[in-house]
Amino acid sequence: MLVRMSITGRFAPSPTGILHLGNLRTALASWLSARKAGGRWIIRMEDVDGPRCRRDLGEAQLRDLERLGLVSDGPVVWQSGRSLLYQEALASLHRARFLYPCACTRKDLQVMASAPHEGDGLRPYPGRCRARAWEGFGRALRFRLPGGTVAWEDRLLGPRTEDPALLTGDPLLFRRDGCFAYHLAVVVDDGAQGVSEVARGADLRPVTATQIRLQEALGLPRPAYAHLGMVLAPDGSRLGKRDGALGVEALAARGVALPDLLGWLGWSLGCQAEARPCGLEELISAFDWSRVPKGDVRLPAAWA
Ligand code: GLU
């Protein structure tokens, strides 16, 4: 008997601003991959990060996705309503002795992260509080990473072997201000929602080994990963704050109609040989991870 393995893909934006072209490209890739496999695709709003997250921004993001035709199968989950789930996960990690309280202030962390990591954007936590005795929940809590490298496979970047201690160090799971941290919420929810394929921006590639360690500690299955390159300015530089505002609406105001946008996004994902205007459905059959460019892509000069 032929058993068809299906997938559940997801797009998990943080509602802190508008969705720019890079986000839209990632959302489309995960949707196309799920649809091509006859699987499910869900949207999750990652709004645990306190005051930076706004409901109205999340709703605007959902409207933009809908304009492209990207609609969640099943209700959109907002992480701010799932504290109980995260609390239970923390309790289970505590029982297994994975947690320790962290008393480091932002300033301490800045001092500890001076050279050689300065400038490269990665500041692994050096483990200063690892030996601190448990002081109860309600403190900032870190996950004690088990030692050793993690071997994992990226659909775009191929096999990788990484040491999370050198990338993030012990990640913060609960913050001093009472918020659950991103690493905890993302891992718990991917597990709870049965997500089997995570497509996201390459900026999150360095945290993947850490999240895999957390999945293992919680007894959750490991999804497949695909980290997509960034969308750069036409000259190859990083998009600045102003260009970052290039969302569906700003592009429409510049005369970029939806079929043009879909055509460009589809081209940038290897679904068509040129950026010919098209509809969403016609991209499905052409989508294949082996054709998605591994690196960054440049914005068309006419849109910049
Ligand atoms: N919410 C995260 C972000 O917008 C993405 C999380 C993920 O895809 O794992 O940066």
Side-chain angles (χ1 to χ4, degrees):
M1 192 179 71
L2 183 72
V3 180
R4 183 143 183 230
M5 294 289 288
S6 198
I7 69 166
T8 296
R10 53 79 157 169
F11 180 58
S14 303
T16 53
I18 62 137
L19 293 177
H20 54 72
L21 270 176
N23 305 131
L24 299 173
R25 181 170 180 264
T26 302
L28 180 61
S30 66
W31 186 90
L32 288 171
S33 177
R35 280 292 175 270
K36 176 130 192 224
R40 293 176 70 232
W41 185 78
I42 52 182
I43 301 176
R44 182 173 71 231
M45 280 293 159
E46 302 214 316
D47 60 342
V48 276
D49 191 5
R52 286 196 330 126
C53 296
R54 281 180 19 206
R55 187 95 194 176
D56 59 323
L57 291 173
E59 273 153 12
Q61 292 183 344
L62 292 174
R63 276 197 302 277
D64 281 351
L65 291 167
E66 196 173 344
R67 283 162 80 175
L68 287 182
L70 308 181
V71 179
S72 183
D73 293 325
V76 173
V77 157
W78 294 72
Q79 289 187 324
S80 53
R82 291 162 76 81
S83 299
L84 207 59
L85 211 63
Y86 309 139
Q87 187 56 54
E88 278 166 10
L90 279 184
S92 129
L93 290 168
H94 172 53
R95 281 193 299 275
R97 307 209 177 284
F98 278 115
L99 298 184
Y100 64 87
C102 179
C104 297
T105 62
R106 192 178 291 258
K107 194 149 176 249
D108 294 335
L109 295 175
Q110 271 161 6
V111 173
M112 287 186 279
S114 55
H117 294 288
E118 205 160 33
D120 63 7
L122 289 176
R123 298 177 170 202
Y125 178 66
R128 190 171 79 158
C129 291
R130 264 197 158 201
R132 273 185 98 84
W134 181 252
E135 295 159 14
F137 291 102
R139 311 291 165 130
L141 297 171
R142 284 188 189 271
F143 173 60
R144 194 187 311 276
L145 275 171
T149 56
V150 179
W152 60 283
E153 176 96 20
D154 189 291
R155 287 210 198 288
L156 288 179
L157 310 173
R160 307 195 63 90
T161 302
E162 291 169 340
D163 185 348
L166 301 179
L167 293 169
T168 64
D170 294 345
L172 201 62
L173 299 188
F174 188 74
R175 300 187 341 196
R176 267 143 63 98
D177 61 5
C179 292
F180 296 97
Y182 157 66
H183 291 298
L184 178 74
V186 79
V187 165
V188 168
D189 280 336
D190 281 340
Q193 297 187 283
V195 170
S196 62
E197 185 179 271
V198 170
R200 59 187 182 185
D203 52 336
L204 291 171
R205 199 268 310 150
V207 305
T208 304
T210 302
Q211 294 181 357
I212 288 173
R213 281 286 186 245
L214 194 50
Q215 280 153 16
E216 291 167 351
L218 287 165
L220 296 170
R222 184 189 301 190
Y225 287 97
H227 289 92
L228 288 112
M230 305 278 128
V231 176
L232 302 177
D235 64 0
S237 62
R238 279 190 84 97
L239 287 172
K241 264 225 148 49
R242 226 201 53 193
D243 317 292
L246 274 185
V248 177
E249 214 156 287
L251 287 167
R254 287 173 198 208
V256 181
L258 280 180
D260 300 323
L261 178 53
L262 280 169
W264 183 79
L265 291 171
W267 165 80
S268 81
L269 292 170
C271 298
Q272 44 180 8
E274 54 199 56
R276 181 179 51 79
C278 69
L280 183 61
E281 299 290 324
E282 50 188 303
L283 295 173
I284 299 174
S285 61
F287 181 81
D288 195 306
W289 283 113
S290 69
R291 288 204 281 265
V292 178
K294 296 186 197 322
D296 298 329
V297 291
R298 293 183 187 198
L299 195 69
W303 295 4

